[in-house]
C-alpha cells in the first residue's frame, strides 16, 4: 500500500516509519511511505502556509494553494489514492474504519495545523475526514500516525501467524483476558493455576470466560452491540449466576435490626 503524508512537520514521521511493525512492513515492501512537506509547495520567499481568517476571529487558517498543490502532487504519484484529512470534525476512527481504509491501494493523509484548513480545499480535494477521538490535539500529525498504524497492521502479510490481526481483541469485539509470563509468582501474586495445567481446552475456556468478564465489567456497550454465540451466552449466564449467588448470600450478613449496630 502507498501511504503519503502531507504535513508542515515531516520530521515528526521519521521515528514512526523507523520502528517496530511499521518499519518491518516497509522493509518487506508491503508499505511504500512518503512524507511531503507542504511548505515546499509554497511559492513565496518566506514559504508561508497560513493566513488570517476572513470574518476575523482568533487563530490562523491553512492557506489553500500550497495544500492543493501538495495534494495534486501526491495524487499524481499514487494513482487512485483516497485523500484523508485528519480533523476534529471527522468521523471517529474505529477498527471498522481502519478495515475500510486498508482496502485501498493508496492513502494520502493530510495533517492540518492552525485552527483549520480552508473549507474550499476540503470540498474540492478531500475524500473523507477522520478524527481519532474527542480531545484536542495541536495538529493532525499524531492522529495520522495513529490511523496509519491501525491500517498497516491490517495489511496482508504484515503480521506473522503468531500475532495475526484476526487475534486482535477489537477485531473480535471483546477485550482481552489478562496475560502472564514468568516468574510463576511475582510480588506475592501467582499465575492462575489453569495456565500451568497444559490442558489447552481448559485454558481456552478460561481465557474466553475472563475475556467476557472483563468486557462485561469495563465495556458493557461492546457486548450490547455484538451478536453472542451459544457458548458466550452461557458464560455470561454463569457470570450472572455468580453475582446473584453473592448477592443472595448478603442476606446472611444483614445487620440485626434489634442489635442497635449499623
Ligand atoms: C477551537 C476549536 N478547535 C476545534 C475543536 C480548533 C482546533 C483544535 C485542534 C482545530 C484544530 C486542532 C488540531 N487537531 C487536529 O488537527 C486533529 C484532531 C484532534 O484535535 N483531535 C482528534 N482527532 C484529530 S485529527 C486532527
Amino acid at each position: 500500500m502507498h501511504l503519503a503524508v502531507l504535513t508542515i512537520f515531516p520530521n515528526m514521521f521519521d521515528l514512526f516509519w523507523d520502528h517496530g511493525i511499521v518499519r518491518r512492513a516497509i522493509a518487506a515492501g508491503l508499505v511504500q511511505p512518503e512524507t511531503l512537506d507542504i511548505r515546499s509547495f509554497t511559492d513565496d520567499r518566506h514559504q508561508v502556509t497560513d493566513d488570517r481568517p476572513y470574518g476575523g476571529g482568533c487563530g490562523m487558517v491553512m492557506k489553500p494553494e500550497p495544500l492543493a498543490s501538495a495534494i495534486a502532487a501526491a495524487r499524481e504519484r499514487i494513482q487512485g489514492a483516497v485523500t484523508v484529512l485528519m480533523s476534529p470534525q471527522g468521523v471517529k476512527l474505529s477498527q471498522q474504519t481502519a478495515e475500510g481504509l486498508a482496502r485501498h491501494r493508496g492513502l494520502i493523509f493530510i495533517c492540518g495545523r492552525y485552527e483549520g484548513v480552508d473549507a474550499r480545499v476540503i470540498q474540492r480535494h478531500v475524500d473523507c475526514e477522520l478524527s481519532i477521538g474527542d480531545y484536542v490535539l495541536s495538529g493532525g500529525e499524531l492522529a495520522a500516525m495513529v490511523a496509519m498504524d491501525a491500517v498497516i497492521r491490517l495489511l496482508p502479510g504484515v503480521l506473522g501467524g503468531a500475532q495475526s490481526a484476526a487475534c486482535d481483541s477489537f477485531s473480535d469485539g471483546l477485550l482481552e483476558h489478562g496475560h502472564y509470563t514468568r516468574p510463576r509468582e511475582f510480588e506475592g501474586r501467582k499465575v492462575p493455576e489453569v495456565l500451568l495445567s497444559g490442558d489447552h481446552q481448559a485454558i481456552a475456556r478460561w481465557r474466553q470466560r475472563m475475556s467476557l468478564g472483563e468486557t462485561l465489567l469495563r465495556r458493557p456497550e461492546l457486548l450490547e452491540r455484538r451478536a453472542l454465540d451459544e457458548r458466550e451466552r452461557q458464560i455470561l449466564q454463569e457470570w450472572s449466576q455468580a453475582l446473584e449467588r453473592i448477592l443472595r448470600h448478603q442476606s446472611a450478613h444483614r445487620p440485626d435490626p434489634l442489635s442497635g449496630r449499623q
Side-chain angles (χ1 to χ4, degrees), residues 86-89 112-116 130-140 143:
M86 301 313 298
S87 131
Q89 283 80 40
R113 279 273 155 175
Y114 321 118
E115 278 305 289
L130 195 61
S131 161
I132 60 165
D134 296 336
Y135 38 82
V136 182
L137 302 173
S138 309

Side-chain angles (χ1 to χ4, degrees), residues 39-91:
R39 216 173 278 289
S40 71
F41 293 88
T42 55
D43 50 18
D44 61 310
R45 229 165 60 77
H46 294 102
Q47 303 198 301
V48 176
T49 56
D50 62 337
D51 204 347
R52 289 158 39 223
Y54 274 121
C58 52
M60 299 292 271
V61 176
M62 196 167 245
K63 282 173 72 64
E65 305 94 325
L67 188 53
S69 302
I71 295 170
R75 275 198 193 283
E76 190 67 36
R77 298 168 64 87
I78 314 173
Q79 305 284 317
V82 165
T83 58
V84 182
L85 173 66
M86 301 313 298
S87 131
Q89 283 80 40
V91 299

